[in-house]
Amino acid sequence: MQKPAGPADGKGSGPEPLDPALARVVRETGASVAMIYLMPPGERTLRLASVTGVSHEIAAPWARVALSDPIPVAHCVREQRMIWLGSQQEVAQTYPRLALVLPYDFVLAALPLSSEATRWGGVVLLWPGSHPPALTAHERDAVHAFSRRLCLELEDAVDAGSPLSAGALPRVLAHPRGRVPGPMEALAAAEFIDRLPGGCCALDPEGRIVFVSPDAAELVGADGKSLLGLLPWQALPWLDDPVFEDRYRAAAVSHRPTSFIALRPPDHWLSFQLYPDASGISVRITSAGTDPVPATPAPRSPAPSASLGRAASLYHLMHLAATLTEAVAVQDVVTQAADQLVPAFGAQALALMTEEEGRLRILGYRGYDAELIARFDGTPMSAGTAAVRILETGVPSFFASFEELKRAYPSATTMDGMSAWAMLPLIASGDIIGSLVLAYDRPHPFTAQDRTVLVSLAGLIGQAYDRARLYDATHQLAHSLQAALLPHALPGIPGLDVAARYLPAARHVAIGGDFYDLIRIDDTTVAATIGDVQGHNVNAAALMGQVRAAVHASAGAPPGDVLARTNRLLTDLNPGLFASCLYAHLDLANERAQLATAGHPPPVLSCPDGRTHVLDLSPGLLLGIDPCAGYPDTEIELPVGAVLALYTDGLVESPGIDLDDATACLAEVVGASRGLTMEALADTLVAYAKRSAAGNDDIALLLVNPRRSCV
């Protein structure tokens, strides 16, 4: 069992108390792989806390998963429901990144870990592809019981003042041994193995050789004792081929038998048959002659032992490449690079840097102390340090020890506490646009293969960073336009408590056309409006400004007339976009309100007597469809103490949830928050939306509350 490195944040306890539940669910469901992810409070990143059934090396690329990632565990936590993938085809169709990196035959269940007030994280269970396409009733009950047990453990730990958190490395649980054979049984087993034709060896869950029979050692041409504790492709150079390691990985992940044929130089072919389970892999080795038709290609030439097998290198390259295709903004690139490279290559720290106005700027980091990063951020490019030099020359540098760094840069110091560094340029279209530093806390020799892989990875990151810089610049310009078109402050209206919020959608979604406004007509009359222009681009934001201006120009007229005039303007412009809009004319002196809607979500009204309901307004067409469309007025009472909540659909829409049900839930939240100021209520509704809505659309919210008569 791997010893955990302790909680990632240095507080609370590691995930050890969850071990019994993890072992139990594997035993009760027959799952081949089980993983527990925990989400630190205030973060939107899931961290792999515990895993059983696969090696740390296979699990490493999935050690940190952003809540927005298209990965089953993130999906189940976002939507708070179980995800079931009953075939390899379903995995490929629904989660192509997962299928690209792990193209093996397995089925999968992912469940959220949550209680009424807290989202703790999620769990993932894998079964071999031979599993039926649906969970049995017993398996489903066991899986849900597992989720509940984990939540109770997590709640108890918080109540005890020692919350559980993921360690710096995931905790890898060894598969429990079913039994320990006695001396006579062990001797009989050894004699049984010796009588079998061919040879046998055994790999532990990490892929290391833990047993090899004399016949197997003779077949592979090596001393048996020298093979123990090594990975096969490290111990036998002629096995260091991606095809062979991929067969091992397929067996380890899918827990299904597989085989391959390899050439032992100079001319002897060997057949390897792999039989996996949760405790490791049994391998049968037999001679395949000197001229077989190989089932898999043979290596072109022997390769030296490397710190990272070639298949493992390709695995990490493919995983990072697939991940970076989904990275949109610069911070996405930084996060994905840190999440993938640090665990995959055994580094302890990472920093991504660029040059701005003659100074070194840190884009992001992992594993370094924030105070140290602050000291380096802003270093003049004239400093002549290794970090600066890489940005000037674009030549990769590898320092296996501090002594090597000192020889190249005599003034170098070890303020970061590290002992080895890989410094790599980020290049796009021939230009040096940044640099990547990977650091190790002890001397680390970089083989030729290590250097090639790391340079390739830096190239992928450089291209992604270049795309993200352009996206960030365009996105910031569009959001600045949108912000400029929204009111900077709401007018102060005597006797009226008001609050408004605007929240852009998740960063990977373009800007929207949501807007709100509060317009003073006279001392006792106010207009409140809210709307949403179709689309998520600069055109939508610009059209939003025109719609808001048109509503402003007609304010004071009956609500239906205001919408009709705005609709005619929009159809005359013919922008190819539509807009929803709701306009409310508030007569504070008479405690009345008139409303009209153009396809907009209905407002919520909370009355002083305790009743809260969704208003039933006569619907009108979206703006921009029919220039002759009419918009009926609806009059309601708006007494002192009432709360009228206007909002856009981003506040309530969520996949799989009926919109009427979602709106009714919103009304319950408004009603339960009676007595709050409008600012406090706005914060409550935004927090509610973050928990319940999908986050894929902008949110606009406008709250009005008559506090006293304006007569």
Side-chain angles (χ1 to χ4, degrees):
M1 184 179 296
Q2 176 178 311
K3 183 179 179 182
D9 58 1
K11 300 177 182 178
S13 303
E16 294 90 334
L18 306 180
D19 291 357
L22 192 63
R24 181 174 174 178
V25 74
V26 169
R27 185 172 62 252
E28 292 182 349
T29 66
S32 54
V33 176
M35 312 168 91
I36 300 175
Y37 283 87
L38 299 179
M39 186 164 61
E43 291 192 17
R44 294 181 62 81
T45 300
L46 297 163
R47 301 186 186 184
L48 181 58
S50 302
V51 60
T52 185
V54 292
S55 68
H56 172 266
E57 186 269 325
I58 291 177
W62 316 96
R64 293 172 63 94
V65 175
L67 204 56
S68 59
D69 279 354
I71 300 297
V73 67
H75 192 176
C76 80
V77 175
R78 286 198 307 271
E79 298 195 359
Q80 289 295 288
R81 65 181 179 90
M82 187 177 85
I83 303 295
W84 168 253
L85 301 171
S87 67
Q88 189 175 9
Q89 179 178 341
E90 191 173 356
V91 174
Q93 289 175 338
T94 313
Y95 301 98
R97 186 214 294 184
L98 179 64
L100 177 66
V101 181
L102 295 175
Y104 311 124
D105 195 11
F106 60 84
V107 299
L108 177 151
L111 288 88
L113 296 175
S114 60
S115 58
E116 288 186 5
T118 307
R119 291 187 181 184
W120 303 103
V123 296
V124 177
L125 299 170
L126 272 65
W127 289 263
S130 55
H131 187 284
L135 288 173
T136 66
H138 170 75
E139 289 170 338
R140 183 175 291 271
D141 289 344
V143 165
H144 285 290
F146 171 52
S147 174
R148 290 192 296 270
R149 279 194 295 270
L150 291 180
C151 289
L152 289 174
E153 288 280 359
L154 292 164
E155 288 174 349
D156 290 345
V158 170
D159 292 341
S162 185
L164 306 184
S165 58
L169 295 175
R171 180 175 174 79
V172 181
L173 273 69
H175 184 74
R177 294 183 180 276
R179 60 189 179 87
V180 179
M184 293 299 294
E185 189 178 7
L187 178 61
E191 292 172 345
F192 170 79
I193 291 171
D194 289 342
R195 287 192 293 269
L196 290 174
C200 301
C201 72
L203 310 180
D204 69 9
E206 296 291 324
R208 294 182 294 263
I209 300 171
V210 292
F211 165 80
V212 59
S213 70
D215 287 349
E218 183 178 349
L219 281 168
V220 300
D223 175 61
K225 292 182 179 179
S226 68
L227 300 176
L228 297 179
L230 299 177
L231 298 171
W233 42 91
Q234 289 178 335
L236 304 168
W238 45 274
L239 278 182
D240 187 18
D241 183 273
V243 173
F244 306 149
E245 193 178 342
D246 178 73
R247 291 298 82 209
Y248 154 76
R249 198 183 307 279
V253 172
S254 69
H255 282 226
R256 302 190 72 174
T258 187
S259 63
F260 62 86
I261 294 177
L263 175 65
R264 192 199 79 190
D267 59 1
H268 197 86
W269 293 88
L270 297 176
S271 173
F272 293 79
Q273 295 171 300
L274 283 64
Y275 301 92
D277 70 7
S279 65
I281 298 178
S282 298
V283 184
R284 184 163 183 246
I285 308 171
T286 56
S287 174
T290 56
D291 190 25
V293 178
T296 54
R300 289 185 294 273
S301 59
S305 175
S307 61
L308 196 64
R310 277 189 283 176
S313 300
L314 291 174
Y315 175 57
H316 294 304
L317 271 170
M318 186 176 294
H319 190 274
L320 182 64
T323 302
L324 289 176
T325 61
E326 298 155 1
V328 177
V330 168
Q331 197 53 48
D332 294 334
V333 175
V334 172
T335 299
Q336 296 292 2
D339 286 350
Q340 304 306 321
L341 296 187
V342 171
F345 290 88
Q348 280 65 52
L350 169 147
L352 279 164
M353 299 172 286
T354 191
E355 182 268 333
E356 290 182 2
E357 299 179 351
R359 291 186 177 274
L360 184 71
R361 294 298 179 191
I362 310 295
L363 298 171
Y365 62 96
R366 178 71 52 77
Y368 282 121
D369 182 81
E371 183 179 345
L372 177 67
I373 291 295
R375 292 173 61 185
F376 276 98
D377 194 27
T379 299
M381 293 298 291
S382 58
T385 63
V388 167
R389 188 68 175 161
I390 194 70
L391 282 166
E392 294 176 338
T393 66
V395 178
S397 298
F398 299 90
F399 304 102
S401 65
F402 176 67
E403 288 70 24
E404 287 190 13
L405 178 65
K406 192 75 172 175
R407 283 196 294 271
Y409 297 91
S411 62
T413 59
T414 56
M415 287 188 294
D416 62 357
M418 299 295 169
S419 299
W421 301 263
M423 300 188 178
L424 309 161
L426 305 182
I427 297 176
S429 302
D431 296 327
I432 305 167
I433 60 173
S435 64
L436 163 68
V437 175
L438 273 178
Y440 299 78
D441 62 0
R442 60 187 63 188
H444 183 90
F446 295 95
T447 66
Q449 179 179 311
D450 288 341
R451 297 176 185 224
T452 300
V453 170
L454 289 172
V455 170
S456 299
L457 289 168
L460 291 174
I461 294 168
Q463 294 170 22
Y465 171 53
D466 192 43
R467 294 193 301 270
R469 287 195 308 172
L470 177 60
Y471 171 86
D472 276 356
T474 304
H475 198 250
Q476 182 58 45
L477 176 62
H479 270 294
S480 297
L481 170 63
Q482 187 174 29
L485 294 174
L486 288 171
H488 296 289
L490 297 177
I493 309 294
L496 195 65
D497 185 13
V498 298
R501 295 288 187 274
Y502 170 76
L503 278 78
R507 184 172 53 221
H508 62 278
V509 179
I511 66 168
D514 291 21
F515 67 92
Y516 61 85
D517 209 346
L518 190 70
I519 308 164
R520 181 176 185 141
I521 307 300
D522 57 37
D523 290 343
T524 62
T525 309
V526 181
T529 185
I530 195 161
D532 184 0
V533 175
Q534 173 196 24
H536 290 87
N537 50 41
V538 175
N539 291 337
L543 187 61
M544 174 267 283
Q546 292 174 305
V547 171
R548 178 172 168 254
V551 171
H552 225 285
S554 301
D561 291 350
V562 172
L563 293 184
R565 294 171 189 174
T566 305
N567 176 56
R568 287 194 293 272
L569 170 66
L570 196 57
T571 52
D572 288 344
L573 290 173
N574 192 24
L577 299 175
F578 308 126
S580 71
C581 186
L582 188 143
Y583 181 93
H585 182 89
L586 311 181
D587 183 351
L588 302 179
N590 296 306
E591 299 184 1
R592 310 289 293 176
Q594 280 187 314
L595 303 95
T597 178
H600 198 79
V604 171
L605 178 65
S606 179
C607 300
D609 61 7
R611 292 178 298 115
T612 300
H613 59 283
V614 180
L615 293 179
D616 184 14
L617 304 181
S618 299
L621 282 176
L622 292 170
L623 304 177
I625 295 178
D626 179 2
C628 299
Y631 300 92
D633 291 344
T634 300
E635 185 168 343
I636 64 169
E637 293 184 2
L638 188 67
V640 171
V643 174
L644 183 65
L646 313 181
Y647 56 92
T648 55
D649 53 11
L651 188 73
V652 291
E653 279 192 344
S654 188
I657 305 297
D658 181 79
L659 187 58
D660 289 340
D661 293 340
T663 306
C665 290
L666 175 67
E668 291 179 5
V669 176
V670 174
S673 305
R674 198 180 326 279
L676 295 179
T677 66
M678 292 304 94
E679 289 293 335
L681 178 58
D683 291 339
T684 299
L685 296 182
V686 166
Y688 163 78
K690 288 181 177 179
R691 293 193 304 270
S692 61
N696 293 330
D697 200 359
D698 292 11
I699 294 173
L701 173 66
L702 179 61
L703 303 173
V704 296
N705 171 216
R707 284 297 192 182
R708 58 182 175 79
S709 176
C710 292
V711 177

